[in-house]
Amino acid sequence: MVRDAAERVSLDELRKRAKQIRRNVVRMASGKGEGYVGQGLDVADILAVLFLSEMRYDPVDRGPETDRLIFSAGHYSIGLWAALAEAGHLDGYDLETYGADGATLIMSTHQGHPDLVELTGGSLAHGLGVAAGLAVGYRLKGWPARIFCFSTDGEAQEGSTWEAAMFAGHERLGNLVNVVDVNRTQADGDLVLEVEPLADKYRSFGWWAADVDGNDVGDLLSVFDEVRGVTDLPKAIVCRTTLGNGVPMIVNRERNHFVRVGDDEWDEVARQLEASA
């Protein structure tokens, strides 16, 4: 079940909210010296569309009509916390405690708070299998909610991803949506193994699949409109993104998968973000 049209946020408003998610990311990361800030900036548009337009999501009420989000890429947690805050789901949590000793909002969801995430994803590539299992369970119960998985191109290098994809295609899990962030970056630089053509690979496993600019809110809304019309196949949305989107000094920094930012650089990070579209 998806949001009614009246509940969805407009395109212009979604763009503003995506930028606010990026502001949240910078606020959370400032002064920490290092972290996955690039991923948070990268995924802001995708998460804005998911939380504010597409999903019926509630981290507390997980009834049969409430969509589920399996957040497979735990190291993107800064983006998840920033988006949950913007969607109104982090009341009582202080974003500025992110990454601090003893804080709930930490740098990877494998240590995160179980009330805020569907999957405590530490090692990558576990999420799609869990999502496929949930999708089968919901179908057996006749529950209308959809199961969303957020995963990455790095996870496409691991066999468990394709075991889950083969299973989901075989079972024709029409209630499963895998949103794949493709920024072609890993800890050591470029992808270790080539994973393209990703959309075609999903199609070969019996999925409906589309390529989309993951940093364009309008393009994302259009592809989700198509997704809602596909009810008999699992869906893969391959989102082409830029690590550090909105802040050129993060985009252009070497080894920006786990970026180092000096104390004297955060004002410039914020200035570049505000200057971005």
Side-chain angles (χ1 to χ4, degrees), residues 36-93:
Y36 294 109
V37 62
Q39 285 82 351
L41 296 168
D42 163 343
V43 78
D45 304 294
I46 298 169
L47 295 184
V49 171
L50 283 175
F51 281 112
L52 299 170
S53 177
E54 189 62 23
M55 294 192 302
R56 283 188 179 275
Y57 181 83
D58 189 319
V60 178
D61 178 8
R62 297 177 181 179
E65 296 187 351
T66 303
D67 293 336
R68 304 290 290 272
L69 175 63
I70 302 300
F71 206 77
S72 187
H75 62 296
Y76 279 64
S77 67
I78 188 171
L80 177 63
W81 308 144
L84 283 168
E86 185 60 19
H89 297 310
L90 275 190
D91 290 344
Y93 294 90

Side-chain angles (χ1 to χ4, degrees), residues 84-136:
L84 283 168
E86 185 60 19
H89 297 310
L90 275 190
D91 290 344
Y93 294 90
D94 185 355
L95 289 180
E96 293 181 1
T97 66
Y98 168 77
D101 289 344
T104 298
L105 305 181
I106 45 66
M107 291 188 179
S108 185
T109 55
H110 70 276
Q111 297 171 308
H113 197 293
D115 289 341
L116 299 177
V117 295
E118 301 285 358
L119 171 74
T120 53
S123 299
L124 296 178
H126 293 168
L128 189 56
V130 174
L134 271 177
V136 169

Side-chain angles (χ1 to χ4, degrees), residues 44-273:
D45 304 294
I46 298 169
L47 295 184
V49 171
L50 283 175
F51 281 112
L52 299 170
S53 177
E54 189 62 23
M55 294 192 302
R56 283 188 179 275
Y57 181 83
D58 189 319
V60 178
D61 178 8
R62 297 177 181 179
E65 296 187 351
T66 303
D67 293 336
R68 304 290 290 272
L69 175 63
I70 302 300
F71 206 77
S72 187
H75 62 296
Y76 279 64
S77 67
I78 188 171
L80 177 63
W81 308 144
L84 283 168
E86 185 60 19
H89 297 310
L90 275 190
D91 290 344
Y93 294 90
D94 185 355
L95 289 180
E96 293 181 1
T97 66
Y98 168 77
D101 289 344
T104 298
L105 305 181
I106 45 66
M107 291 188 179
S108 185
T109 55
H110 70 276
Q111 297 171 308
H113 197 293
D115 289 341
L116 299 177
V117 295
E118 301 285 358
L119 171 74
T120 53
S123 299
L124 296 178
H126 293 168
L128 189 56
V130 174
L134 271 177
V136 169
Y138 272 51
R139 185 171 69 182
L140 288 171
K141 288 179 176 291
W143 289 358
R146 292 184 294 172
I147 311 301
F148 289 81
C149 179
F150 175 81
S151 62
T152 64
D153 50 357
E155 295 176 77
Q157 298 170 115
E158 303 191 41
S160 55
T161 292
W162 298 110
E163 293 175 31
M166 180 168 56
F167 170 77
H170 175 76
E171 294 294 328
R172 301 178 70 89
L173 297 178
N175 58 345
L176 176 62
V177 183
N178 186 24
V179 181
V180 189
D181 180 54
V182 179
N183 57 41
R184 298 192 60 80
T185 306
Q186 291 183 258
D188 293 327
D190 294 336
L191 288 180
V192 175
L193 296 175
E194 183 55 73
V195 299
E196 298 294 351
L198 263 180
D200 285 343
K201 287 180 178 178
Y202 273 100
R203 292 183 189 111
S204 75
F205 281 88
W207 290 55
W208 181 94
D211 270 289
V212 63
D213 183 344
N215 291 135
D216 187 308
V217 171
D219 284 357
L220 287 164
L221 288 176
S222 294
V223 80
F224 275 112
D225 281 343
E226 292 185 61
V227 162
R228 288 193 293 275
V230 180
T231 59
D232 60 342
L233 296 175
K235 279 78 67 173
I237 303 175
V238 178
C239 300
R240 311 290 175 177
T241 62
T242 299
L243 197 66
N245 185 270
V247 180
M249 65 185 292
I250 302 295
V251 173
N252 298 324
R253 183 151 298 189
E254 291 187 12
R255 302 181 70 85
N256 61 356
H257 176 84
F258 189 77
V259 70
R260 270 72 177 177
V261 181
D263 289 344
D264 60 338
E265 295 182 298
W266 285 108
D267 286 345
E268 179 62 14
V269 168
R271 188 198 69 77
Q272 290 187 9
L273 176 60

